[in-house]
């Protein structure tokens, strides 16, 4: 039955069905194979139940905050801060790209949003500075991967909701891995800049305006401080922190930068609703699939196979095997559906093996995130190619070194759990 549903899902995707309809169609065909028509009554209940979770209310606020940051000009101020910090070295715009990704990661938790914001500004600038178009797009797509790792993270909210894990603890666990991932891409940019003799960027004008840039960027830095600080310290819930971030961006964009108009606010609401609806529909449909799999006891059978194989006695090997399953599936499926489908199966196994739930949550999130730049799906590749005016074929051709570096970081995090658990323990969130 599982193979039948999987084949049906991919066929409907190839034909052109929307993803959530492909998932629902595969679920209905699974019911047909089972022959128990009474299950159809529960499909609607499971579909809406997958979306009717209070903690998921944080997602639209995170998305809305990121959109308002871009429209209000606060994102531009943060990128100016990145230029001031790391721009005046060889291959400086490459470092600006990564640091910009780290800073923007603290706002919306979406790789797609970061790829769009970074790509539209930095890809043309990098090409003008001498970087190849394919490298510029590849580095931008890779920098956007930091978004779902450093808090806030839409993926982590979904994972925490499904596993009853502390969202604040999971957010804290993602801080160091996100910085390590950014550092790995910086090292990669260093060797690229040396090999290709990239010029030292002239940022004298920006340095001469250093005090003004610092003053202006402080306004933009308040939004991620509100969101991250509020959640990690426990002062507010993730939903409340997102709402505060939205309110701050509206006030700052209207009264300080004065770039945010009523029309911008209206369009940002529409864009937020469109993106949130897509995520929630996929989550609801994936919940239906997961319910059918549970009905057929597929997770229990898989767990039995893992226990019999002896992997439970070696947590590191278990993490490697599970990653080897999650990552390829993420290459061919949308990331939210991958996370929603596999979390109920894999998270209990990790817990039985004694793996810290925060550690496994970060590992699973990173697996799904790396798939965002991995062909044939690789949604971020399509985004940076479109906004940066780069040939998609070139992006797919030259993205593999970035994927390799990200996978090495994943291996490092699997091998050294303290990278994820250190900050939660210091903050007593684990």
């Amino acid at each position: 039955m599982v193979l039948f549903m999987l084949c049906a899902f991919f066929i409907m995707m190839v034909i052109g069905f929307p993803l959530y309809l492909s998932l629902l169609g595969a679920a209905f065909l699974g019911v047909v194979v089972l022959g128990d028509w009474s299950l159809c009554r529960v499909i609607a209940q499971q579909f809406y139940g997958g979306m009717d979770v209070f903690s998921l209310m944080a997602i639209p606020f995170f998305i809305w905050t990121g959109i308002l940051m871009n429209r209000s000009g606060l994102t531009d101020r943060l990128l100016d801060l990145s230029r001031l910090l790391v721009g005046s070295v060889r291959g400086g715009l490459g470092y600006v790209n990564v640091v910009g990704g780290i800073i923007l990661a603290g706002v919306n938790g979406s790789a797609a949003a970061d790829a769009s914001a970074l790509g539209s500004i930095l890809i043309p600038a990098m090409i003008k500075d001498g970087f190849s178009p394919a490298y510029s797009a590849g580095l931008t797509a890779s920098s956007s991967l930091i978004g779902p790792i450093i808090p806030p993270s839409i993926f982590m909210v979904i994972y925490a909701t499904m596993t009853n894990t502390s969202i604040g603890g999971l957010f804290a666990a993602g801080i160091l891995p996100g910085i390590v991932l950014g550092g790995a891409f910086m090292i990669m940019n260093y060797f690229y800049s040396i090999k290709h003799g990239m010029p030292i960027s002239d940022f004298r004008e920006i340095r001469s305006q250093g005090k003004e840039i610092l003053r202006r960027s402080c306004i933009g830095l308040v939004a991620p401080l509100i969101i991250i600080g509020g959640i990690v310290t426990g002062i507010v819930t993730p939903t409340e922190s997102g709402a505060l971030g939205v309110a701050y961006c509206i006030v700052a964009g209207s009264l300080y930068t004065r770039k945010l108009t009523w029309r911008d606010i209206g369009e940002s609401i529409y864009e937020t609703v469109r993106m949130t609806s897509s995520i929630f529909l996929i989550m609801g449909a994936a919940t239906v699939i997961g319910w059918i799999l549970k009905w057929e006891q597929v997770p229990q059978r898989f767990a039995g196979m893992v226990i019999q194989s002896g992997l439970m006695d070696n947590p590191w090997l278990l993490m490697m095997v599970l990653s080897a399953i999650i990552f390829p599936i993420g290459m061919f499926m949308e990331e939210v559906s991958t996370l929603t489908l596999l979390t109920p199966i894999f998270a209990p196994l990790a817990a039985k093996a004694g793996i810290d739930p925060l550690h496994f949550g970060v590992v699973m999130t990173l697996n799904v995130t790396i798939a965002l730049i991995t062909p044939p799906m690789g949604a971020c590749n399509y985004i940076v190619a479109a906004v940066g005016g780069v040939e998609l074929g070139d992006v797919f051709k030259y993205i593999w070194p970035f994927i390799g570096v990200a996978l090495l970081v994943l291996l490092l995090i699997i091998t050294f759990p303290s990278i994820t658990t250190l900050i939660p323990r210091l903050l007593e969130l684990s």
Side-chain angles (χ1 to χ4, degrees), residues 391-406:
E391 290 292 331
L392 181 61
D394 291 338
V395 179
F396 277 156
K397 183 178 180 181
Y398 292 99
I399 196 66
W400 295 104
F402 297 98
I403 296 172
V405 169

Side-chain angles (χ1 to χ4, degrees), residues 95-113:
Y95 299 110
V96 170
N97 200 321
V98 179
V99 173
I102 293 174
I103 295 176
L104 293 182
V107 179
N108 54 45
S110 168

Side-chain angles (χ1 to χ4, degrees), residues 62 65 106-108 151-152 171 222-232 241-242 245:
F62 292 157
T65 301
V107 179
N108 54 45
F171 278 5
V222 172
L225 287 177
I226 289 174
I227 295 174
I228 299 174
I231 296 173
V232 171
S241 72

Side-chain angles (χ1 to χ4, degrees), residues 19-21 23-24 27 42-53 56 158 162 276-292 334 336-337 340-341:
L19 183 57
Y20 78 97
L21 285 181
L23 289 166
L24 286 176
V42 192
I43 287 181
Q45 178 183 349
Q46 293 292 328
F47 179 73
Y48 288 105
M51 299 181 285
D52 188 19
V53 182
L56 295 180
I158 295 172
M162 299 186 70
T276 303
S277 300
S278 175
I279 293 173
F280 275 49
L281 285 172
I282 293 170
M283 283 198 63
T287 301
V288 175
I289 292 279
W291 166 70
I292 293 177
E334 198 277 337
V336 173
S337 59
T340 309
L341 284 173

